């Protein structure tokens, strides 16, 4: 697997673990507790949104089938709209990445905030964030 892709996924995993208070081992476990599944889903979605990483590469990295990754990302979109707790974790991870990552990701995040489809995320982030 490409070193850049692995480094990008490692970064997102680190941010998700920091926000969710999980270890990398817990995140990569096969356990299906809701808080673990949500954390994995968050990682998959951010990796896909930020870097456009192919599902097969993500599946290989996480030890999952690519179809599982696709299903999780579809569920992420639903949860982002209807689950306040999940949306809050997403927003906090987004902010943490904004504070800690390079200019390319910052530009992506700013563009994402301009996207009308993400208006609920935009409101949540702008209420308590440096992102403008």
């Amino acid at each position: 697997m490409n070193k850049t892709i692995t480094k990008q996924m490692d970064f997102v995993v680190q941010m998700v673990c920091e926000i969710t208070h999980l270890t990398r081992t817990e995140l990569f476990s096969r356990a299906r507790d809701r808080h673990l599944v949500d954390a994995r889903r968050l990682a998959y979605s951010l990796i896909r949104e930020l870097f456009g990483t192919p599902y097969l590469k993500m599946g290989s990295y996480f030890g999952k089938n690519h179809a599982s990754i696709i299903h999780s990302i579809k569920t992420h979109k639903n949860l982002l709209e209807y689950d306040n707790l999940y949306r809050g974790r997403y927003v906090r991870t987004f902010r943490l990445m904004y504070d800690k990552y390079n200019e390319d990701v910052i530009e992506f995040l700013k563009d994402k905030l301009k996207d009308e489809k993400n208006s609920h995320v935009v409101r949540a982030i702008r209420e308590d964030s440096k992102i403008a």
Side-chain angles (χ1 to χ4, degrees), residues 106-122:
I106 289 172
E107 287 306 311
F108 168 82
L109 295 175
K110 285 182 180 178
D111 288 344
K112 187 157 185 69
L113 294 179
K114 293 175 188 171
D115 188 347
E116 290 298 316
K117 292 185 290 189
N118 299 308
S119 60
H120 56 282
V121 176
V122 172

Side-chain angles (χ1 to χ4, degrees), residues 11 15 30 37 44 54 76 78 97-98 104 109 111 130:
F11 176 75
M15 296 297 104
R30 297 193 51 84
V37 172
Y44 304 154
H76 160 80
N78 250 351
M97 290 170 57
Y98 183 87
D104 293 336
L109 295 175
D111 288 344
K130 297 180 264 187

Side-chain angles (χ1 to χ4, degrees), residues 9 40-41 43-45 47-48 53-76:
M9 288 192 282
R40 283 185 214 116
R41 183 180 293 125
Y44 304 154
S45 300
I47 290 167
R48 181 71 178 181
T53 306
Y55 298 119
L56 283 172
K57 288 190 191 280
M58 289 170 51
S60 174
Y61 178 81
F62 284 97
K64 305 281 183 197
N65 184 294
H66 75 283
S68 298
I69 304 288
I70 293 168
H71 174 72
S72 286
I73 290 173
K74 285 181 182 178
T75 304
H76 160 80

Side-chain angles (χ1 to χ4, degrees), residues 19-131:
I19 290 296
T20 59
H21 306 288
L22 296 174
T23 65
R24 184 179 172 88
T25 303
E26 290 172 317
L27 189 68
F28 280 76
S29 73
R30 297 193 51 84
R32 297 192 311 187
D33 298 325
R34 170 75 191 259
H35 69 286
L36 297 172
V37 172
D38 279 353
R40 283 185 214 116
R41 183 180 293 125
L42 186 60
Y44 304 154
S45 300
L46 286 166
I47 290 167
R48 181 71 178 181
E49 289 173 3
L50 291 173
F51 307 112
T53 306
Y55 298 119
L56 283 172
K57 288 190 191 280
M58 289 170 51
S60 174
Y61 178 81
F62 284 97
K64 305 281 183 197
N65 184 294
H66 75 283
S68 298
I69 304 288
I70 293 168
H71 174 72
S72 286
I73 290 173
K74 285 181 182 178
T75 304
H76 160 80
K77 292 174 184 174
N78 250 351
L79 288 173
L80 201 56
E81 189 169 343
Y82 297 109
D83 186 327
N84 290 333
L85 180 63
Y86 184 84
R87 183 173 44 247
R89 285 189 187 125
Y90 176 82
V91 168
R92 286 193 308 276
T93 306
F94 215 84
R95 278 195 225 127
L96 184 62
M97 290 170 57
Y98 183 87
D99 289 342
K100 292 190 175 189
Y101 209 51
N102 68 33
E103 295 298 317
D104 293 336
V105 173
I106 289 172
E107 287 306 311
F108 168 82
L109 295 175
K110 285 182 180 178
D111 288 344
K112 187 157 185 69
L113 294 179
K114 293 175 188 171
D115 188 347
E116 290 298 316
K117 292 185 290 189
N118 299 308
S119 60
H120 56 282
V121 176
V122 172
R123 278 193 306 272
I125 291 173
R126 286 194 174 144
E127 286 173 8
D128 184 26
S129 180
K130 297 180 264 187
I131 302 175

